[in-house]
Amino acid sequence: MRSLQLSAITVFSMVATATADVTMAAIFSDHAVLQQKETLPVWGWAEPGEEVTISIAQQSQKVKAATDGSWRVDLTKMDAGGPHTLTATGKNTLTISDILIGEVWLGSGQSNMAFSVGQSNHAAQEISSANFPQIRMFHELSKGSKTPQRDAKGKWEICSPSTVAKFSATLYFFGREIHQATKMPVGLIHSSVGGTAIQLWISPSAHEKMPPSQREAVIPPPTPNASPQPKKKGPAKKAPSQDGFLFNAKIAPLVPYAIKGVVWYQGEANTHPGSGFAYRYQLPALINDWRQQWKKELPFIWVQLPQYNRPGNGWCLVREAMLQSLKIPNTGMAITADLGNPTDIHPKDKQPVGHRLALWALHHMYGKKVPATSGPLPAKHEIRNTSIVVTFTHAEGLQAKGGGELKGFLMAGEDKVWHPAQAKIEGQTIIATCPNVARPLALRYSWA
């Protein structure tokens, strides 16, 4: 009996000691990259009321843990460089080594963001040449959660031939160009899950502010010529909402880690019948939500859905929503209508995707001169008799890829029936006509 009591006392003592240890959020781990020239929130946990001292380089701050054990300090801005050592000292001392100060970007979305360097085109060459010790990636490994989680799961890894194969390809190729152009360390936070709809990545509080028609999930299409089914009695049950399921686990714990901006590659899961139209509300909701979470107008760049033969118009509706969302300030889009694989939803050509994302960031965020910041974007249109004239921005030297004829245009009149249209380039405009449409009202490109 006495030995049992002793064991209980010993276990209790061990638990009490563990809870008193000063800890930092998982994002603060060896090889981390902190955002240069911005206030740097650092947070963690300790025994309630415990005084914690946070030190890095030439600065040091003290804070007392709150009643729930949480603490946070905001370090002053630092210039790019390193390595530094970050310490948190209370009753114990926690040391984080090899900290660099540079540019930090968060990459999120679904499977095409998760698609790895090792799966991409020219993988062997990319892996063997990946000697970039100042590029680091944090892989967020948490599963979904019904409630916001306080801490992330993962660690920072230094880019090398032995680690890069599992890096997000899009994010790595993007970050590599930023690093090479700016000569600064680059930190890439990768938090994505394959096959996930955008609703899962918007916080529950933001979802509550959206009308149901704007946030509803995939609506299954009706079965044609189906025999009527007998009605079944019993009470109706509402399926549990999954809204915010991934935000709670994979984004919330990262807030308010200082980041430069966000790279988003998602949309495929929202192209099923009945769901594509709502993306024009969901993408802006996501952007505004994350900006409110970080309390700053984060630059937000996304990847246009590339070529893929998906039945129905959902793919095109999401593409259209992405175009419309460019009205939001400080946003950009990598045009990929000429990339991809019509028969594979996971195209391997991720290098040009990362490159096009980087062009926008290098120009708008770093003031670099680049060949282009976007592919051609429609700016306005005019109906001239039997023609529709569309004027484009980002269209200097506008031409058909490969020098052939323009294809993919459809025109409709008052009857809303779409017919193939002929198109030609004049300067930064495209003039489209169709012999089957006497009074044109609408024009589509690459819709199907």
Side-chain angles (χ1 to χ4, degrees), residues 70-105:
S70 64
W71 57 262
R72 170 181 163 177
V73 298
D74 290 337
L75 299 174
T76 56
K77 300 176 182 180
M78 300 179 67
D79 292 330
H84 300 287
T85 298
L86 175 66
T87 62
T89 303
K91 295 178 180 178
N92 65 298
T93 297
L94 182 65
T95 301
I96 309 299
S97 303
D98 189 31
I99 303 291
L100 297 182
I101 313 298
E103 293 295 286
V104 183
W105 287 82

Side-chain angles (χ1 to χ4, degrees), residues 199-408:
Q199 295 93 317
L200 302 175
W201 296 96
I202 303 172
S203 72
S205 59
H207 270 291
E208 292 174 0
K209 300 175 184 178
M210 299 175 67
S213 61
Q214 296 182 10
R215 57 185 172 92
E216 60 187 342
V218 175
I219 302 173
T223 304
N225 303 322
S227 302
Q229 299 295 317
K231 295 183 179 180
K232 296 182 179 179
K233 296 183 180 181
K237 293 183 179 180
K238 185 178 180 181
S241 174
Q242 296 293 305
D243 293 349
F245 192 66
L246 293 175
F247 172 88
N248 287 337
K250 299 182 72 67
I251 300 299
L254 301 174
V255 180
Y257 195 82
I259 60 176
K260 187 73 168 187
V262 177
V263 178
W264 179 251
Y265 195 165
Q266 188 277 338
E268 299 91 337
N270 288 85
T271 64
H272 296 285
S275 65
F277 186 82
Y279 206 84
R280 68 188 59 203
Y281 307 110
Q282 294 160 344
L283 181 56
L286 177 83
I287 296 168
N288 293 328
D289 179 30
W290 289 18
R291 286 178 172 180
Q292 290 177 16
Q293 299 289 338
W294 264 273
K295 296 181 171 58
K296 61 176 291 189
E297 191 181 272
L298 292 171
F300 214 101
I301 328 170
W302 57 86
V303 181
Q304 180 190 49
L305 292 184
Q307 295 184 51
Y308 182 62
N309 291 337
R310 168 154 282 176
N313 62 4
W315 199 267
C316 311
L317 289 170
V318 169
R319 269 186 175 175
E320 186 177 58
M322 289 176 164
L323 176 65
Q324 294 174 340
S325 297
L326 289 174
K327 297 175 183 177
I328 302 171
N330 209 16
T331 61
M333 177 171 69
I335 305 296
T336 60
D338 61 322
L339 300 177
N341 186 331
T343 61
D344 188 351
I345 202 169
H346 300 118
K348 295 182 178 181
D349 51 345
K350 294 296 190 283
Q351 289 88 343
V353 177
H355 172 66
R356 295 177 188 187
L357 289 165
L359 289 176
W360 186 94
L362 287 172
H363 177 76
H364 291 282
M365 307 310 303
Y366 302 104
K368 303 291 184 180
K369 291 185 178 180
V370 297
T373 61
S374 171
L377 295 173
K380 62 180 180 179
H381 75 278
E382 178 185 0
I383 298 176
R384 298 179 186 170
N385 300 320
T386 59
S387 301
I388 295 181
V389 181
V390 183
T391 302
F392 291 82
T393 57
H394 304 283
E396 294 182 7
L398 186 64
Q399 59 182 300
K401 190 171 184 179
E405 63 177 312
L406 292 180
K407 298 179 180 180

Side-chain angles (χ1 to χ4, degrees), residues 19 46 64 94 120 129 132 156 347 352 364 374-375 382-383 393 410 412 429:
T19 57
K64 282 190 175 182
L94 182 65
S120 303
S129 62
F132 298 103
W156 287 92
H364 291 282
S374 171
E382 178 185 0
I383 298 176
T393 57
L410 299 174
T429 68

Side-chain angles (χ1 to χ4, degrees), residues 52-55 59-63 72-76:
V52 181
T53 302
I54 308 300
S55 302
Q59 61 175 305
S60 181
Q61 293 191 34
K62 293 184 177 181
V63 63
R72 170 181 163 177
V73 298
D74 290 337
L75 299 174
T76 56

